[in-house]
Amino acid sequence: MAILSVKNIQKQFGALFALDDVSVDFHEGEVVALLGDNGAGKSTLIKVISGTYVPDGGEIVLGGQSVKFDNPRAALDAGIQTVFQDLALCDNLDVVDNLYLGRELRRSLVPGISFFDRRLMRENTGRLLKELAVDLPSVDAKVKDLSGGQRQSVAIAKAVNSKCQVIIMDEPTAALGVAQTRKVLALVKELKARGMCVIYITHNMHDVMEVCDRCVVMKNGRKVGEVATNSISKEALANVIITGDMDRYRQAPTAVQ
Ligand SMILES: Nc1ncnc2c1ncn2[C@@H]1O[C@H](COP(=O)(O)OP(=O)(O)OP(=O)(O)O)[C@@H](O)[C@H]1O
Ligand SMILES: [Mg+2]
C-alpha cells in the first residue's frame, strides 16, 4: 500500500493550470525523483503535499486516510517534512537547538516546573549525527558557521529527528560541491534504509541515477509518466524531460536516446 498518494490534484493560479490532474503514489523505503523542466509544477506539487497551498481539486491520502492540510504545520504534524536548501534552519542557533527547535526535551526537578534538558538533547544530537555519519566540527557550532553541505545535513538530520514518514527535498544538492553532494546522497540512502519515503526534486541526472528508485516526470502542470530508474538511461531520461514524451520512449527505448 502507498504511504502517501496524491490523486487528481488541481492547482490554478489565475488562468494558469500549475497542476492539472496529477496523481502519484509514494511508498515506504522508496526514493522518488520528481523531474521536469522549469515551470513544470514540481514545487507547486510539493507545496500542496506540504500544506503551503490548498489544492483546488483532488485528494491527498496519507496512510490510507484522506487528509487536508490547511498549513505547513498540519502536514508536519502528520509526518511530512520538507527540507529546503537553507530556509529551515536558524543561523544564530547551534546544531542542537536547531534539531530540537519547538520540540525541546524537558526535565522536571520540582512538580510543575520544567527546564530544557540541554544535556540529553546534546547527547541525542551527537548520537543521531553519528548514526547518520554526518561530520560536523561540533554540535555546539552555530549553523551560520557551517558549510552549505553541513547545513543541508543538519536540515536532513532535523527531519529524521522529527520521526517523519515522508521527507521532501527540493534540489538539496544544487548549491553543493562534489564531496558535499556525495555526503547528502549517502544520507538519502540512509533515510531509505530506515524505511522513510523521500521525494527528491532535482535537475541533476547524476543524483537521480545514484539514489532514486523511480522517476516521475512532469511538464506544463501535467504528469508525463513514471519510469523505474534502472530501466532508463540518463540521456533518455533527460530527453523525456525536455520533450515530455514518455510514450515514445516506452514504445522504442532507443528512439529517444
Ligand atoms: N504563486 C504563484 N502565482 C502564480 N503562478 C505561479 C505561482 N507559483 C508557481 N506559479 C506558476 O506555476 C507554474 C509551475 O511552477 P513551479 O514553481 O511549480 O515549477 P517547477 O517545476 O518547480 O520549476 P523550477 O524547476 O523552475 O523550480 C509556473 O508556470 C509558475 O510560473
Ligand atoms: Mg521549483
Side-chain angles (χ1 to χ4, degrees):
M1 193 185 79
I3 185 173
L4 169 72
S5 300
V6 293
K7 298 184 176 187
N8 312 107
I9 295 289
Q10 298 276 142
K11 181 71 192 172
Q12 258 179 281
F13 295 111
L16 178 95
F17 282 86
L19 295 175
D20 189 4
D21 200 25
V22 175
S23 301
V24 189
D25 288 334
F26 302 95
H27 304 93
E28 248 174 57
E30 185 185 37
V31 185
V32 181
L34 195 52
L35 306 173
D37 237 333
N38 297 120
K42 308 179 295 293
S43 292
T44 306
L45 182 61
I46 66 154
K47 284 177 184 166
V48 165
I49 296 173
S50 63
T52 306
Y53 292 148
V54 175
D56 298 317
E59 191 185 18
I60 300 175
V61 179
L62 183 69
Q65 305 258 315
S66 183
V67 289
K68 279 197 166 61
F69 301 135
D70 293 330
N71 54 64
R73 184 81 233 175
L76 209 58
D77 289 344
I80 298 176
Q81 272 270 356
T82 308
V83 178
F84 295 104
Q85 179 71 41
D86 273 339
L87 293 177
L89 302 176
C90 295
D91 270 355
N92 289 318
L93 297 181
D94 67 21
V95 175
V96 178
D97 287 340
N98 264 286
L99 246 69
Y100 282 95
L101 191 64
R103 298 178 313 105
E104 289 83 1
L105 301 179
R106 290 174 170 271
R107 177 167 58 108
S108 186
L109 293 176
V110 185
I113 302 178
S114 66
F115 304 89
F116 286 170
D117 194 339
R118 168 84 191 174
R119 204 174 71 185
L120 184 59
M121 290 191 281
R122 197 171 179 282
E123 276 171 19
N124 288 354
T125 300
R127 193 178 325 116
L128 178 66
L129 294 177
K130 202 163 167 213
E131 272 175 38
L132 296 173
V134 172
D135 224 359
L136 297 181
S138 156
V139 291
D140 303 313
K142 294 256 193 296
V143 159
K144 69 174 160 49
D145 297 328
L146 300 178
S147 75
Q150 288 168 338
R151 295 168 62 92
Q152 190 67 34
S153 300
V154 171
I156 296 170
K158 183 178 159 80
V160 173
N161 200 40
S162 74
K163 309 265 183 286
C164 59
Q165 305 170 275
V166 178
I167 298 191
I168 303 168
M169 299 185 187
D170 200 349
E171 303 200 40
T173 62
L176 303 185
V178 177
Q180 293 183 339
T181 295
R182 210 171 276 164
K183 289 211 163 166
V184 168
L185 295 181
L187 210 42
V188 171
K189 286 181 186 165
E190 174 64 28
L191 304 184
K192 171 181 154 74
R194 287 171 175 239
M196 292 176 180
C197 170
V198 182
I199 305 175
Y200 195 95
I201 297 185
T202 184
H203 289 281
N204 185 318
M205 292 303 116
H206 170 266
D207 285 10
V208 174
M209 292 296 153
E210 179 83 19
V211 294
C212 298
D213 301 300
R214 189 158 55 96
C215 301
V216 173
V217 182
M218 298 181 63
K219 191 175 174 71
N220 297 334
R222 298 189 68 94
K223 187 172 95 173
V224 164
E226 300 187 16
V227 62
T229 312
N230 63 10
S231 71
I232 189 165
S233 73
K234 236 191 312 201
E235 295 71 23
L237 189 57
N239 228 311
V240 173
I241 291 168
I242 295 165
T243 60
D245 195 348
M246 183 77 87
D247 292 340
R248 188 164 140 235
Y249 166 74
R250 284 197 203 290
Q251 283 156 16
T254 49
V256 292
Q257 283 183 30

